[in-house]
Amino acid sequence: MNKPAFTFPGQGSQAVGMGRDLADSFAEARAVFEEVDDALGLKLSAIMFDGPEDTLRLTENAQPALMAASIAVVRVLDARGVKVAEAASHVAGHSLGEYSALCAAGTFSLSDTARLLQIRGRAMQQAVPVGQGAMAALLGLDMDVVKEIAAEAAQGEVCDVANDNSPGQVVVSGNLAAIDRAIEIAKARGARRALALPVSAPFHCALMAPAAEAMREALGNVDMKAPSVPLVANVLARPISDTQEIRTRLVEQVTGMVRWTESVSWLAKEAGVTELYELGTGKVLTGLAKRIDPALSGQAVGTAQDIEAFIAARG
């Protein structure tokens, strides 16, 4: 039987209360949250557990928070004999989740990952003044049509395809007016729904170039080890293990498209993966997996109860 792949959620999965029951149940989880708090010089765990929601939702907090919750699960599993290097064939993460995946696979230390994501979150937020950028989900259209819509909507501004999440769920990102045009064009082209997303910045588009430069500098100053299992990279939708290439692709990822549909399809068709386990907060990627390939079985492992069930199922 083929080994499963471990996936790691991205921004939007955060929620007040995240990680609390892990901290209440497991010393390993508490240690993760304490180390992240220390690395950031910020009581991030208190914001995760108690809010307020608008503080948690800030990109510079949401990104390390989601990573911390994922790594808390990883460390609890590891202490119970489920080690990433032995249990998984590959890791993959959605946008910031790529950093969680790399931390889980030993490429970055936990403290370095937390600091990198705080830098990434701040840089992405500062790249575009609030109110000048937007993102929109275009539902029920295939990728080729969305690319045509983005090109038509741009009119000299930025309108890029940001996320290919699953068949019929594609996100565009760019200047506010261009995204507004894309929504209207998509409706006229028969989209099931076309709606602006409640995000604070236009991620994964050309407007994020200043943030990409900030990450190039930050990643150049951090220790990296080859991952214990290959990472299926967002911008390539194929596995990589070389640290220099990982660094390059993480920089590209800031402005590049998250090719999630292709990444999951690669795992299923090329690597023969039949099971995906989403480690961390929420169930977004588990839901997407079924839409991408109905033959995949997906399971979210984010709570103490999920962990106990996962361990029990492995016998």
Side-chain angles (χ1 to χ4, degrees), residues 58-312:
L58 288 172
T59 303
E60 68 185 69
N61 293 332
Q63 294 197 15
L66 283 157
M67 182 277 299
S70 287
I71 300 305
V73 173
V74 169
R75 295 281 173 87
V76 173
L77 291 175
D78 185 88
R80 280 145 192 80
V82 182
K83 301 184 184 300
V84 171
E86 299 161 9
S89 64
H90 298 81
V91 291
H94 192 286
S95 190
L96 85 90
E98 204 151 72
Y99 287 80
S100 310
L102 287 164
C103 181
T107 294
F108 298 125
S109 72
L110 175 58
S111 293
D112 283 343
T113 312
R115 286 188 286 263
L116 284 169
L117 284 172
Q118 186 182 56
I119 292 166
R120 184 177 183 270
R122 280 183 185 155
M124 292 172 96
Q125 191 59 67
Q126 292 166 359
V128 180
V130 172
Q132 291 190 15
M135 298 179 77
L138 309 183
L139 308 182
L141 299 172
D142 67 28
M143 178 54 102
D144 290 340
V145 174
V146 174
K147 285 178 177 172
E148 290 170 9
I149 290 168
E152 186 181 335
Q155 294 182 20
E157 293 185 307
V158 172
C159 184
D160 293 341
V161 180
N163 302 34
D164 177 14
N165 286 330
S166 69
Q169 187 188 332
V170 183
V171 175
V172 293
S173 181
N175 294 106
L176 178 60
I179 298 304
D180 286 343
R181 287 191 292 271
I183 289 171
E184 293 312 309
I185 296 166
K187 287 175 180 172
R189 295 284 292 265
R192 194 170 76 249
R193 289 181 75 196
L195 64 161
L197 295 175
V199 294
S200 54
F203 306 126
H204 298 290
C205 76
L207 297 175
M208 286 286 119
E213 283 310 306
M215 292 318 296
R216 190 189 310 280
E217 181 180 349
L219 287 160
N221 294 324
V222 74
D223 286 332
M224 295 176 69
K225 297 185 178 77
S228 58
V229 295
L231 170 81
V232 180
N234 283 183
V235 296
L236 298 175
R238 64 171 175 77
I240 56 175
S241 292
D242 175 74
T243 53
Q244 189 52 53
E245 180 163 30
I246 289 169
R247 192 179 272 124
T248 300
R249 302 308 178 186
L250 287 174
V251 173
E252 288 177 5
Q253 185 236 57
V254 178
T255 55
M257 175 169 54
V258 177
R259 294 166 62 181
W260 195 250
T261 298
E262 293 171 86
S263 295
V264 173
S265 294
W266 186 91
L267 284 165
K269 292 182 172 56
E270 302 299 324
V273 169
T274 58
E275 296 175 299
L276 293 180
Y277 290 97
E278 179 178 3
L279 307 187
T281 301
K283 300 177 179 176
V284 170
L285 302 183
T286 303
L288 294 178
K290 280 272 184 237
R291 292 211 285 278
I292 294 168
D293 191 328
L296 282 169
S297 81
Q299 185 180 331
V301 184
T303 65
Q305 189 177 357
D306 293 341
I307 288 170
E308 301 298 358
F310 178 76
I311 300 288

